[in-house]
Structure formats: C-alpha cells, structure tokens
C-alpha cells in the first residue's frame, strides 16, 4: 500500500472486513521485523458502546490483533487515554475490549496513568506519554465523526489520547488546532484504520450515529482527515489543524491525487439503518429507496451542512436516493441510481462535499 492509497471496504462483518483490508494493504510487510513493539490506539474518548458513534468497534480491534498474531507479531499493546472527566478503564470495558485483551493476551496501558516526557514538536513543547513514545510502529484506529469545535475528528486528533490529562487541558486553552498539528510531527502515524461504521453526526461523545458500515485504510493521516472532511460535507481548508499539519510536513491533504481502492461493493441497500431523532429529522428531506449505507450516510452529512447554514426549510421536495430509482425519472436525486432524473448528481456514491454544492445550487436556490 502506498501513501496516496485509500482502501475502502463495506459490510457488517467488521472483524473479517478488518482482516481482509489489512491483507490487501500488506500491513505485515509494512511493519517488517516481527519483534517490533506495535501500539494499537483506538478511540475510547468516553465510556459508551461503539454503536452510539463515539468509540472504535471492538470487532475492528479484534480483527487487527488476530491478523497481527497470525502473521507472527506478538509484541502488541493497546493504549488510550479517555478525555478528561472519563475513566479510560470504564471506556475499555464499555467498548467490549476486556475479552479481546484477555483472549489474545494483549496488555492495555491507560495513558491517563502513564509517565511522560516533554519533546520538541516542530518548535512547540509537547508532553507525550512514554509508552506511546517507545513504540516502533503505531496503528491508529480512529472513528470518523463530527466534532463541535474542530468540525471533524479522525486520525490526527485521535492522537490526543497519547498525552497526559494536563496536556489535554493545555491543548484546549491553545485552541486545539495548532497543538494537534504539532503533536502529529512527533507521534507515529504508521498505519491508520478508520472505523466508519456509525460515527456521530457532530459530537465526539456520540449520540447521533450515522450508519455507513465502512472501514477505511490510510498510510497518511493528513490525507485521511482531508478525505473525512469531504465525506462529511466539509472542505479540508475549513479545518485549520489539517492544513497546518500539511505545512509541517505530516502528510498531504490533496485528495485529488489520492488513489481509491474499493475492495467490494456496498450491498446494504435493502436494510434501513437505525436512526436517532436528529438523523431522522434530516432523513425527512429525503426519499430513500434501497439506498446503500455509505450513500445515504453521505446525504445525511450533506443535509446537516445545509441545516447549519439555515438552508433547510419546509416545502423542499425530497431528494431521491437509492437503487430503487434506477431507470426512473423524477425531480432531483443524488447518486448514479438517479441518473434519469431532471437534476442528478453523478457518483456511486458521490462525496458529501459534492452533494452540498449540488443541493445548494439545484435544490435550495431553486425553491427560495
Ligand atoms: S448511487 Fe451507488 S452508492 Fe448510491 S445508492 Fe446507488 S448504487 Fe448505492
């Protein structure tokens, strides 16, 4: 797998999807020496079940551990520090990680209780937990989700779990963006496996999951977060820490140069995803017939962007989406399945960022 590659797999058998995507990425070859110390960094920001959209699914962690052990890597450590105010051990339990740790014999290190050292992160002093600093290879396992202060959170911000609590508080007083970018010049980002199963609409603590049933793999954390922006209807330039990380040489935010690798098709079209109140409200602007999860989730994120701009109002005709519209005509739709509609956005699935632009021009403006 190259730095510019983005691997995507769809489905609901998360453990086996994980193993498949890691095989395709050639992770074992990327790591090399079987004796390397490998850190696994999930997102356990709060003590909540992953189905609520905040934390990394246990099946993904289990898939990574099973794959690595099968390949002969046995020096593994799971590490995380929840946000200030939550206990990491409780979050570890709530996410269902205890069984995995026990069954596979992989130790867990709580970064809230770890020792730390200060280091020079491209001109900024940052305290890093010792366990994280000692690793030879880091596998970042973030959740794709919204964030009330930074718009999105994924690979770059997930590394905030590798600093002590006092440093987390300092990051907040510094406005998050600059310290997050600098942090990523010193912590390792060797491989990133993104939980895009049901990340939250706009809060890092979950509560409004948007079901997309995807797992994504990257080698570049900046490319990862730029892609996540577009998947949620934002532009990477809107998120300061992404652009700053690029300037500091952490990676590239140029998604136009990315090489997309789809491992399978999204076969979820017949199943309606579960929806909480806010997601249901956004879905009321759609007419969905057999829509794939990733396509429908992208539309929900796009509608949320329009909602933020005050552009959603009663009287708008529903936006058609889904395989049930193939070959049919209508007013407005998104995705290749609605290609015969008067107005249709091409893509299978289209990006949420493109949906926002299209719907603003062809839907909101036409019904003002
Ligand atoms: S456009 Fe593609 S992704 Fe969207 S519903 Fe149709 S087949 Fe699924």
């Amino acid at each position: 797998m190259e730095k510019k590659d983005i691997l995507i797999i769809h489905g609901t058998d998360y453990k086996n999807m994980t193993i498949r995507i890691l095989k395709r990425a050639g992770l074992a070859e990327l790591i090399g020496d079987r004796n390397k110390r490998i850190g696994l960094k999930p997102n356990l920001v709060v003590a909540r079940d992953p189905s609520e959209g905040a934390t990394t699914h246990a099946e993904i962690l289990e898939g990574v551990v099973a794959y690595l052990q099968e390949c002969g890597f046995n020096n593994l450590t799971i590490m995380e520090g929840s946000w200030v105010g939550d206990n990491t051990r409780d979050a570890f339990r709530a996410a269902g990680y205890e069984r995995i740790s026990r069954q596979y014999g992989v130790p867990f290190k709580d970064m809230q209780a770890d020792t730390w050292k200060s280091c020079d992160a491209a001109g900024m002093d940052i305290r890093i937990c010792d366990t994280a600093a000692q690793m030879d290879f880091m596998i970042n396992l973030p959740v794709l989700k919204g964030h009330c202060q930074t718009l999105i959170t994924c690979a770059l911000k997930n590394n905030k779990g590798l600093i002590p609590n006092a440093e987390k508080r300092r990051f907040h007083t510094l406005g998050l963006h600059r310290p997050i970018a600098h942090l990523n010049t010193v912590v390792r980002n060797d491989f990133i496996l993104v939980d895009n199963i049901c990340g939250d609409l706009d809060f890092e603590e979950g509560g409004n999951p948007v079901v997309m049933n995807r797992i994504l793999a990257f080698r570049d954390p900046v490319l990862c977060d730029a892609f996540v922006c577009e998947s949620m209807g934002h532009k990477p330039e809107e998120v300061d820490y992404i652009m700053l990380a690029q300037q500091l040489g952490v990676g590239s935010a140029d998604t136009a140069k990315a090489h997309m690798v789809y491992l399978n098709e999204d076969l979820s079209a017949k199943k309606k995803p579960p929806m909480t109140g806010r997601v249901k409200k956004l879905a009321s602007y759609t007419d969905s017939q057999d829509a794939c999860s990733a396509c429908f989730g992208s539309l929900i994120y796009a509608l949320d962007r329009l909602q933020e701009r005050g552009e959603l109002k009663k009287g708008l005709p529903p936006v058609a989406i889904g395989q049930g519209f193939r070959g049919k005509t209508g007013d407005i739709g998104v995705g290749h399945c609605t290609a015969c509609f008067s107005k249709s956005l091409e893509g299978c699935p289209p990006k949420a960022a493109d949906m926002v632009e299209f719907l603003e021009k062809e839907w909101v403006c036409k019904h003002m």
Side-chain angles (χ1 to χ4, degrees):
M1 182 179 176
E2 306 290 329
K3 280 247 174 177
K4 65 177 189 321
D5 290 344
I6 300 178
L7 272 54
I8 299 186
I9 190 164
H10 301 92
T12 51
D13 181 355
Y14 309 133
K15 181 182 165 191
N16 282 317
M17 284 159 63
T18 299
I19 293 171
R20 205 173 142 197
I21 201 168
L22 296 182
K23 282 184 179 166
R24 177 65 181 75
L27 180 62
E29 289 73 39
L30 291 174
I31 301 170
D33 185 349
R34 279 7 188 203
N35 294 315
K36 277 190 180 166
R37 292 163 295 188
I38 301 171
L40 309 176
K41 165 64 179 77
N43 184 326
L44 293 176
V45 62
V46 286
R48 293 181 90 163
D49 189 276
S51 62
E52 295 184 51
T55 52
T56 309
H57 282 72
E59 296 92 328
I60 293 184
L61 177 73
E62 185 170 10
V64 174
V65 170
Y67 166 85
L68 290 172
Q69 292 190 344
E70 176 70 27
C71 294
F73 297 98
N74 289 301
N75 203 346
L76 314 178
T77 307
I78 305 164
M79 59 187 73
E80 169 65 317
S82 297
W83 68 3
V84 179
D86 244 295
N87 179 295
T88 320
R89 272 276 163 203
D90 291 344
F92 192 76
R93 215 168 292 123
Y97 288 12
E98 275 187 327
R99 177 193 59 80
I100 298 166
S101 175
R102 215 177 23 248
Q103 183 177 330
Y104 292 86
V106 180
F108 167 64
K109 283 285 269 185
D110 180 357
M111 296 296 98
Q112 287 182 334
D114 205 25
T115 52
W116 51 267
K117 280 184 196 62
S118 259
C119 56
D120 175 16
M124 188 176 198
D125 244 21
I126 290 184
R127 287 172 270 183
I128 313 275
C129 292
D130 287 335
T131 305
Q134 286 156 5
M135 292 296 120
D136 301 310
F137 196 94
M138 282 295 293
I139 301 178
N140 191 346
L141 303 167
V143 178
L144 177 158
K145 58 183 171 174
H147 190 277
C148 58
Q149 282 167 278
T150 58
L151 298 183
I152 68 116
T153 167
C154 201
L156 294 165
K157 195 174 160 300
N158 194 37
N159 284 328
K160 200 156 80 65
L162 301 176
I163 59 175
N165 276 354
E167 192 68 332
K168 286 187 196 129
R169 287 192 204 95
R170 190 174 76 100
F171 270 36
H172 280 273
T173 64
L174 295 172
L176 286 178
H177 289 278
R178 201 165 67 86
I180 288 172
H182 280 262
L183 168 68
N184 280 278
T185 65
V186 282
V187 292
R188 303 191 67 97
N189 275 296
D190 297 298
F191 191 80
I192 302 121
L193 196 64
V194 177
D195 179 335
N196 184 202
I197 291 168
C198 62
D200 195 77
L201 192 59
D202 51 8
F203 279 100
E204 74 169 325
E205 64 264 47
N208 284 295
V210 179
V211 176
M212 291 182 82
N213 281 326
R214 297 193 300 189
I215 298 174
L216 324 170
F218 299 83
R219 286 187 61 202
D220 178 339
V222 180
L223 182 65
C224 170
D225 284 14
F227 179 81
V228 166
C229 280
E230 293 176 353
S231 300
M232 297 178 67
H234 298 290
K235 292 193 172 86
E237 304 82 57
E238 291 174 62
V239 181
D240 290 350
Y241 72 74
I242 296 178
M243 303 322 288
L244 194 48
Q246 178 175 247
Q247 281 167 28
L248 292 170
V250 177
S252 164
D254 190 353
T255 54
K257 291 205 181 111
H259 175 229
M260 307 296 301
V261 182
Y262 293 93
L263 273 70
N264 61 3
E265 275 182 48
D266 189 349
L267 299 174
S268 59
K270 293 285 172 198
K271 293 177 205 136
K272 283 259 182 208
M275 289 183 256
T276 58
R278 281 201 49 215
V279 176
K280 220 180 254 175
K281 206 165 165 214
L282 293 168
S284 70
Y285 289 91
T286 72
D287 181 2
S288 159
Q289 289 185 23
D290 302 339
C292 303
S293 303
C295 209
F296 188 70
S298 300
L299 180 55
I300 292 297
Y301 281 121
L303 291 168
D304 197 41
R305 300 293 76 79
L306 297 175
Q307 170 99 294
E308 282 166 2
R309 297 173 195 179
E311 292 176 341
L312 289 188
K313 55 186 184 303
K314 281 186 186 153
L316 284 166
V319 178
I321 182 168
Q323 298 181 23
F325 291 107
R326 277 183 183 160
K328 293 187 182 164
T329 55
D331 184 12
I332 185 155
V334 290
H336 183 71
C337 295
T338 61
C340 300
F341 276 49
S342 315
K343 297 283 176 200
S344 171
L345 175 68
E346 186 47 44
C348 183
K351 282 184 187 168
D354 295 336
M355 289 184 184
V356 173
E357 215 169 288
F358 169 77
L359 292 174
E360 255 186 338
K361 187 164 157 241
E362 303 293 351
W363 187 55
V364 176
C365 291
K366 297 271 162 67
H367 294 88
M368 296 244 311

